[in-house]
């Protein structure tokens, strides 16, 4: 119980708790209530927050996300929020076509005496994948018209938000019964991800 309570408090940023454990009653080994009294003590606060991207000048969207969401100096060091930041940054990189992104540094140094935590993160984003050949499959409408719908073209940097918007936008029209968009990074050739749009028309159209 002592170890579990201590570990749970550390997740929330409290590394110097005072924990006392007693029995509220005595009914033998098979019964009774364990009473845990916790004084969490002062929290550990983030003192240094160093988050780096390779080639930052070429990744302004990722840098803007970091600037908006990075852990703040002076805030209580919360493990869950720290992990959520790392997960969010990696997701942002993948959504924008950096499918080879990998952490170079993931380090937190906690000074229990000073009640401070120094965060060091470095993400190597790697090359950005781009949109490959865009193919249109379906019947009932001129493919040239459908091809004008996407807000991206072959050769543009891959952006999952634009692909998702293409899907939502087409379904919002009254023309289509269904729209299926396939863009699989695993099928990329020379960092170009092929995109296929399959659609069926509504019967009344």
């Amino acid at each position: 119980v002592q170890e579990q309570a201590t570990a749970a408090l550390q997740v929330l940023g409290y590394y110097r708790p005072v924990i006392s454990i007693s029995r509220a009653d005595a009914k033998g080994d098979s019964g009774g209530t364990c009473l845990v009294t916790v004084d969490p003590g002062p929290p550990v606060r983030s003192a240094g927050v160093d988050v780096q991207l390779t080639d930052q000048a070429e990744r302004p969207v990722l840098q803007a996300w970091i600037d908006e969401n990075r852990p703040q100096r002076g805030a209580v060091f919360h493990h869950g929020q720290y992990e959520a930041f790392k997960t969010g940054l990696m997701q942002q990189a993948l959504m924008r076509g950096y499918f080879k992104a990998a952490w170079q540094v993931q380090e937190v140094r906690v000074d229990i005496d000073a009640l401070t935590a120094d965060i060091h993160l470095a993400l190597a984003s790697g090359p950005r994948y781009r949109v490959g050949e865009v193919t249109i499959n379906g019947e009932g409408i001129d493919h040239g018209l459908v091809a004008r719908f996407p807000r991206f073209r072959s050769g543009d940097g891959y952006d999952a938000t634009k692909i998702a918007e293409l899907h939502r936008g087409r379904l919002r029209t009254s023309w289509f019964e269904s729209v299926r968009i396939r863009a699989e990074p695993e099928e990329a050739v020379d960092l170009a991800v092929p995109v296929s749009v399959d659609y069926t028309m509504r019967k009344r159209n």
Side-chain angles (χ1 to χ4, degrees):
V1 173
Q2 181 89 23
E3 291 177 355
Q4 292 179 0
T6 299
L9 286 163
Q10 288 180 354
V11 169
L12 301 176
Y14 296 90
Y15 279 73
R16 285 165 48 180
V18 177
I19 302 172
S20 60
I21 302 173
S22 60
R23 294 289 293 273
D25 50 29
K27 296 181 180 180
D29 294 338
S30 61
T33 300
C34 179
L35 181 63
V36 181
T37 304
V38 176
D39 176 1
V44 168
R45 297 184 180 274
S46 300
V49 181
D50 178 29
V51 183
Q52 298 180 3
L53 284 175
T54 59
D55 303 325
Q56 292 186 31
E58 299 180 13
R59 286 111 173 102
V61 175
L62 293 183
Q63 187 60 53
W65 190 92
I66 290 173
D67 294 341
E68 183 177 351
N69 295 278
R70 76 168 69 228
Q72 298 298 308
R73 288 183 174 86
V76 175
F77 176 63
H78 189 295
H79 286 236
Q81 294 172 355
Y82 164 73
E83 292 295 335
F85 172 79
K86 289 199 306 176
T87 299
L89 178 54
M90 182 62 76
Q91 288 177 341
Q92 291 294 317
L94 295 176
M95 286 175 60
R96 283 162 179 79
Y98 299 105
F99 298 117
K100 295 184 179 181
W103 292 107
Q104 291 182 321
V105 178
Q106 301 179 76
E107 182 180 68
V108 178
R109 298 179 180 179
V110 176
D111 186 331
I112 297 178
D113 294 330
L115 293 173
T116 59
D118 290 315
I119 299 172
H120 301 277
L121 294 171
L123 180 68
S125 59
R128 187 180 187 185
Y129 283 55
R130 63 187 185 279
V131 176
E133 181 182 4
V134 180
T135 58
I136 310 295
N137 305 297
E139 296 181 357
I141 192 172
D142 182 81
H143 285 189
L145 177 60
V146 180
R148 291 201 295 269
F149 288 157
R151 297 183 180 180
F152 53 83
R153 297 180 179 179
S154 296
D156 289 353
Y158 182 96
D159 190 330
T161 58
K162 292 183 179 179
I163 293 175
E165 176 56 31
L166 171 63
H167 185 262
R168 290 192 298 268
R170 300 301 66 76
L171 289 178
R172 284 197 295 264
T173 72
S174 61
W175 296 357
F176 303 103
E177 182 70 28
S178 66
V179 177
R180 180 175 180 270
I181 300 175
R182 179 180 176 86
E184 300 293 342
E186 295 82 2
E187 299 176 0
V189 178
D190 294 331
L191 303 181
V193 180
V195 178
S196 64
V197 181
D198 298 283
Y199 69 88
T200 56
M201 300 295 293
R202 293 186 185 275
K203 290 183 178 181
R204 67 171 180 263
N205 293 325

